[in-house]
Amino acid sequence: MSLPAVLLAVGVSPTPTPSESTTPAVPSLEDAQESATNAASWVEQNWSTWLAIGLRVLLIVVIAAALRVAVRRAITKFIDRMNRTVQAVDGTALGGLLVNAERRRQRSQAIGSVLRSVASFLIMGTAALMILGTFEINLAPLLASAGVAGVAIGFGARNLVTDFLSGVFMILEDQYGVGDTIDAGVASGEVIEVGLRVTKLRGDNGEIWYVRNGEVKRIGNLSQGWATAGVDVQVRADEDLDKVKETIDQVAERMSKAEPWNELLWGPIEVLGLDSVLLDSMVVRVSAKTMPGKALTVERELRWRVKRAFDEAQIPIVGGQAAPADPAPDADPTAGMAAPSAYANAASPQAQAATPITPPAVTK
């Protein structure tokens, strides 16, 4: 007897085999109504929470965007006000000199960029954390991970961070700018570009130096304020000091009225007095206040004029080794030479007559 027949005999309905197709159960109308009622009830219970979260997020975004726009606009107005303040010292030539259009433009752009970036990062970062807190996300692991990542980046890029922070403070404090001549220790020259990480200098020979801001330990700015031109005039110890001073004063008066030296000189050329007195000479110190970066030019011109004036006044300038005297043009160059001797030639009669006589050999 087959298996289906046995199952029918005992009253058990046979289970359909996998090969037989089974018709899926179609949900009834009551089941559909019950599912819709449950969904509507769930939405009705949670819609107020969703609406509150959405409104809170929207409020945070709107406030953050409005605050960011207001802060950036305030920073822009502040930078524009800095650019409009073009006179550092009212009514003086120094104020106009310190105003360099390119320098002020780069400085204002750098300051504005840093301030706007910092403000945007703080505002938007705070808003993002508040939004995550609104969704009840635990921020402790995120903050801990950010702290660890910050420490790792700080150790790995500490030189970059140092350069950036040093550049920010150099720009904010206006330690130097485009067009200034500075001595940065590692290099010196004229500043042609100021960045947050690197400063570009052009040296005296035309080379360009890239100096990292973090490596600059001290800065000597030769273009701010004024410079001092100093010239030392060394004359004989027995020279008339009144005559020397009068001659230098005449040179100073003429140079102060000549162009372009009347613009480069910001003060009178003064004879400060004796800088040193030696046994055979004395040094007179001459000084003048000049335009920044023009001290060397003024010193060279002042030396030139003092030398010509001293030559006219017959005041010799001494110092260093004395120049050798030139021989007289009509002197005989062979006057100091001895006449040739006849004994120098061994074949001459004088040399042979003076030759000692050799004694004859003795025979046994």
Side-chain angles (χ1 to χ4, degrees):
M1 182 180 292
S2 63
L3 181 60
V6 174
L7 294 176
L8 289 175
V10 297
V12 179
S13 58
T15 302
T17 60
S19 61
E20 297 179 357
S21 60
T22 59
T23 304
V26 179
S28 61
L29 183 60
E30 290 78 4
D31 297 336
Q33 291 178 351
E34 183 178 1
S35 300
T37 303
N38 293 335
S41 137
W42 184 78
V43 171
E44 184 179 0
Q45 292 176 0
N46 295 280
W47 74 272
S48 58
T49 305
W50 295 347
L51 181 60
I53 294 176
L55 291 177
R56 190 177 302 172
V57 171
L58 180 61
L59 182 62
I60 292 174
V61 172
V62 170
I63 293 177
L67 184 60
R68 179 174 177 269
V69 171
V71 171
R72 290 174 67 91
R73 186 170 299 177
I75 294 174
T76 302
K77 290 183 178 180
F78 173 72
I79 298 301
D80 293 340
R81 183 176 301 176
M82 289 179 55
N83 291 332
R84 287 195 298 267
T85 309
V86 296
Q87 288 293 337
V89 181
D90 295 333
T92 63
L94 178 60
L97 178 69
L98 292 178
V99 176
N100 185 298
E102 180 65 17
R103 168 180 176 175
R104 298 188 69 89
R105 185 187 67 82
Q106 288 196 9
R107 180 170 177 257
S108 61
Q109 284 184 354
I111 294 176
S113 175
V114 171
L115 294 179
R116 282 190 290 266
S117 299
V118 171
S120 298
F121 176 78
L122 292 178
I123 294 173
M124 302 311 295
T126 304
L129 293 178
M130 293 176 65
I131 291 174
L132 293 178
T134 302
F135 287 103
E136 298 182 356
I137 298 177
N138 188 9
L139 299 179
L142 179 62
L143 296 178
S145 302
V148 173
V151 172
I153 294 175
F155 276 107
R158 58 184 179 273
N159 290 334
L160 182 62
V161 175
T162 302
D163 296 340
F164 180 82
L165 293 178
S166 299
V168 169
F169 282 105
M170 287 179 182
I171 293 175
L172 290 178
E173 296 172 0
D174 195 18
Q175 298 179 7
Y176 55 83
V178 175
D180 289 352
T181 301
I182 67 172
D183 181 2
V186 294
S188 60
E190 181 182 355
V191 180
I192 59 177
E193 185 177 343
V194 179
L196 293 178
R197 193 182 69 87
V198 174
T199 298
K200 293 173 64 175
L201 305 176
R202 183 174 296 279
D204 297 335
N205 298 324
E207 69 277 10
I208 295 181
W209 298 96
Y210 294 85
V211 181
R212 288 172 41 199
N213 295 328
E215 293 182 348
V216 179
K217 303 303 180 182
R218 52 95 174 165
I219 297 175
N221 197 324
L222 307 179
S223 300
Q224 288 184 352
W226 44 267
T228 301
V231 175
D232 293 333
V233 181
Q234 190 169 0
V235 296
R236 294 180 304 185
D238 57 350
E239 196 67 49
D240 187 1
L241 289 178
D242 294 334
K243 183 179 179 180
V244 172
K245 186 177 185 304
E246 182 181 356
T247 305
I248 296 177
D249 289 339
Q250 294 176 1
V251 172
E253 183 179 359
R254 289 194 298 265
M255 185 174 176
S256 300
K257 296 179 180 179
E259 293 184 356
W261 312 110
N262 55 353
E263 298 180 357
L264 300 182
L265 289 171
W266 286 7
I269 300 176
E270 300 177 348
V271 179
L272 301 182
L274 288 177
D275 191 66
S276 63
V277 178
L278 304 177
L279 293 176
D280 56 348
S281 64
M282 55 186 176
V283 178
V284 179
R285 181 72 173 177
V286 183
S287 177
K289 185 181 295 185
T290 68
M291 181 183 296
K294 301 298 181 180
L296 185 59
T297 304
V298 174
E299 289 176 0
R300 291 170 176 170
E301 180 66 18
L302 185 58
R303 291 192 187 98
W304 181 284
R305 291 174 178 264
V306 168
K307 178 62 171 66
R308 296 182 60 180
F310 276 23
D311 291 343
E312 294 177 0
Q314 296 182 356
I315 301 176
I317 297 179
V318 300
Q321 296 180 355
D326 295 334
D330 55 350
D332 186 4
T334 63
M337 298 176 60
S341 175
Y343 295 97
N345 187 4
S348 64
Q350 293 82 356
Q352 292 180 358
T355 304
I357 299 175
T358 305
V362 179
T363 58
K364 294 182 180 180

